[in-house]
Amino acid sequence: MPRRQVAPTAAIRFDVVDGPEATATVTGAVAAIRGRVRTLATVRSIAGDPPQVEIELEVEGVTEDALVAALDGLSEIRAIHRTRALGTVFGKRIIVVGGGAQVAQVALGAVSEADRHNLRGERISVDTIPLVGEADIAAAVRAVADLPRARLLVLAGSIMGGDISAAAEELRAVGIPIIALNMVGSITDHVDLVVSDPVQAGTMAVMAVGETATCVLARQRGRRY
Amino acid sequence: MPRRQVAPTAAIRFDVVDGPEATATVTGAVAAIRGRVRTLATVRSIAGDPPQVEIELEVEGVTEDALVAALDGLSEIRAIHRTRALGTVFGKRIIVVGGGAQVAQVALGAVSEADRHNLRGERISVDTIPLVGEADIAAAVRAVADLPRARLLVLAGSIMGGDISAAAEELRAVGIPIIALNMVGSITDHVDLVVSDPVQAGTMAVMAVGETATCVLARQRGRRY
């Protein structure tokens, strides 16, 4: 699936009176200045009368000044903080899912390699969750498709198959590649690359999404190490 | 800052023709069925004519069937997939920021402890980014306030202060506590807890947000280990 280049993005965080109309009002004001809402995420709820929510908003195609001006006059909005688009701070995300022992070792390799890339100006994050059981792991694999900026999944465990393998194919179909540890089960037939050593799997995952080594997966797809 | 209980949330992912009106149309349709948009995040751009974007949408206060029905008739929407709210899959997030060597060791402790919590039905993720330099680390600390479901920050490094300490106070002011490794610099005076061993720091971070040990920070605030 080809990706378009993303334009610079204005980002703010604001408090707004909670209610069904809140986000429609905000997105209407953004549309009026011809901005494209890329993210609108509730980050906190604030109890009170009336209750408020704190929302992070990223808009493509407008300046931060124009965005603040468009929202500043709305009566529902109580406070606006200027911030930065999350992609410029946390960048591309490697997601690691599986058993705790293996997830920790993959994270060790991935964080070490991401450190080297980030020192040179890239932004790569390593996000992990230890989980057990076919249903929960399969749900997490499918949910990676819903995560903003997720670029690659590492499956770190000792046995995976069944619905996890089905979920892996669904995720690859939306354009997110998968590296799996060499393990028991059918999963190793449904991923882009199989790596036995978890530290190396984490390292390769970062190399695959880094700007300096984008060819890793294209050349290695289907191989086992 | 008190938190309100979050109601069950319907979640879908859909392709929509990209343009300034796209999200306003969607949020208007959601408001019409009295739903509250909690997340609207662009997860992928799809090149083509017209270009489309894939958006993950979470709405509180409506059923998934009602949400699908409300959006299914809109001409701009090309495909709808039912999915799950990210909070039910990835849960609370511990964020770890700092130098690669220390971030990896904090992640080891945090992932191991999260594994134990998640085995008992909780959902705790450990999300990391290795970074260098006062400006970039301070920006990441501030950006944690913009991350959905972020519950605690661990600062893992050997020297931090200056604007990072200012950013730490800003983050704590919005209700996100911070654990720091014992290190050089003023940061240790601007966090909730200081821990010398990185593996233990990661473990304590998860204990502090877990359902089974919520008292950790309240009882230990300001102490050093």
Side-chain angles (χ1 to χ4, degrees), chain A residues 1-224:
Chain A
M1 192 176 299
R3 297 179 197 284
R4 285 179 302 136
Q5 200 63 35
V6 175
T9 302
I12 60 171
R13 196 173 76 238
F14 60 89
D15 299 345
V16 61
V17 176
D18 195 20
E21 304 296 336
T23 53
T25 305
V26 169
T27 54
V30 172
I33 57 170
R34 309 296 296 162
R36 295 165 192 232
V37 173
R38 291 306 182 215
T39 306
L40 186 156
T42 307
V43 290
R44 267 172 296 282
S45 295
I46 306 166
D49 185 20
Q52 298 179 36
V53 287
E54 197 170 352
I55 288 177
E56 197 257 344
L57 176 68
E58 300 187 10
V59 178
E60 193 181 309
V62 299
T63 65
E64 196 175 89
D65 286 342
L67 181 60
V68 170
L71 298 186
D72 211 13
L74 300 178
S75 62
E76 297 90 343
I77 290 183
R78 298 295 164 87
I80 297 179
H81 311 270
R82 290 166 189 252
T83 183
R84 288 174 52 180
L86 289 171
T88 68
V89 178
F90 297 109
K92 302 168 185 171
R93 299 165 74 182
I94 304 285
I95 314 296
V96 188
V97 173
Q102 286 96 343
V103 168
Q105 293 306 306
V106 170
L108 172 63
V111 167
S112 299
E113 181 68 10
D115 202 24
R116 303 171 76 219
H117 285 255
N118 293 351
L119 277 165
R120 290 178 288 184
E122 290 189 65
R123 285 292 173 272
I124 299 174
S125 297
V126 180
D127 295 352
T128 73
I129 186 166
L131 287 172
V132 67
E134 181 179 347
D136 286 340
I137 294 175
V141 171
R142 291 191 170 95
V144 171
D146 301 330
L147 287 176
R149 301 175 282 107
R151 290 288 181 274
L152 190 146
L153 170 66
V154 182
L155 287 172
S158 300
I159 174 167
M160 293 187 193
D163 194 38
I164 301 171
S165 296
E169 293 292 359
E170 292 173 31
L171 185 64
R172 294 170 72 202
V174 301
I176 298 180
I178 303 176
I179 294 176
L181 300 188
N182 196 7
M183 69 174 96
V184 178
S186 67
I187 189 67
T188 52
D189 294 324
H190 298 275
V191 298
D192 296 87
L193 187 65
V194 177
V195 180
S196 297
D197 172 50
V199 177
Q200 189 179 61
T203 306
M204 284 188 177
V206 174
M207 289 169 62
V209 306
E211 290 166 12
T212 47
T214 50
C215 58
V216 172
L217 275 185
R219 288 190 188 164
Q220 302 296 324
R221 184 156 283 126
R223 297 189 66 171
R224 298 185 180 216

Side-chain angles (χ1 to χ4, degrees), chain B:
Chain B
M1 193 177 298
R3 298 179 196 284
R4 285 178 303 136
Q5 200 63 33
V6 175
T9 302
I12 60 170
R13 197 173 76 238
F14 59 88
D15 299 345
V16 62
V17 176
D18 194 19
E21 304 297 335
T23 53
T25 305
V26 168
T27 54
V30 171
I33 57 170
R34 310 296 297 162
R36 295 165 192 232
V37 173
R38 291 306 182 213
T39 305
L40 186 154
T42 307
V43 290
R44 266 172 296 282
S45 294
I46 306 167
D49 186 19
Q52 298 179 36
V53 287
E54 196 169 353
I55 288 177
E56 197 256 345
L57 176 69
E58 300 187 11
V59 178
E60 194 181 309
V62 298
T63 65
E64 195 175 89
D65 286 342
L67 181 59
V68 170
L71 298 187
D72 212 12
L74 300 178
S75 62
E76 297 90 342
I77 290 183
R78 298 294 164 86
I80 297 179
H81 312 270
R82 289 165 189 253
T83 182
R84 287 174 52 179
L86 290 170
T88 68
V89 178
F90 296 109
K92 302 168 184 169
R93 299 165 74 181
I94 304 285
I95 314 296
V96 187
V97 173
Q102 287 96 343
V103 167
Q105 293 306 305
V106 171
L108 172 63
V111 167
S112 299
E113 181 68 10
D115 202 26
R116 303 171 75 219
H117 285 255
N118 293 350
L119 278 165
R120 290 178 288 185
E122 291 189 66
R123 284 292 173 273
I124 299 174
S125 297
V126 180
D127 295 353
T128 73
I129 186 166
L131 287 172
V132 66
E134 181 180 346
D136 285 339
I137 294 175
V141 170
R142 291 192 170 95
V144 170
D146 302 328
L147 287 175
R149 300 175 283 105
R151 289 289 180 273
L152 190 145
L153 170 66
V154 182
L155 287 172
S158 300
I159 174 167
M160 292 188 194
D163 194 39
I164 300 171
S165 295
E169 292 292 357
E170 292 172 31
L171 184 65
R172 294 169 72 202
V174 301
I176 298 180
I178 303 176
I179 294 176
L181 300 189
N182 196 6
M183 69 175 95
V184 178
S186 68
I187 190 66
T188 52
D189 294 326
H190 298 275
V191 298
D192 297 86
L193 188 65
V194 177
V195 181
S196 297
D197 173 49
V199 177
Q200 190 180 59
T203 306
M204 284 188 178
V206 173
M207 288 170 64
V209 306
E211 291 167 11
T212 47
T214 49
C215 58
V216 173
L217 275 185
R219 288 190 188 165
Q220 301 296 325
R221 184 158 283 125
R223 297 190 65 170
R224 298 185 178 216
Y225 291 89

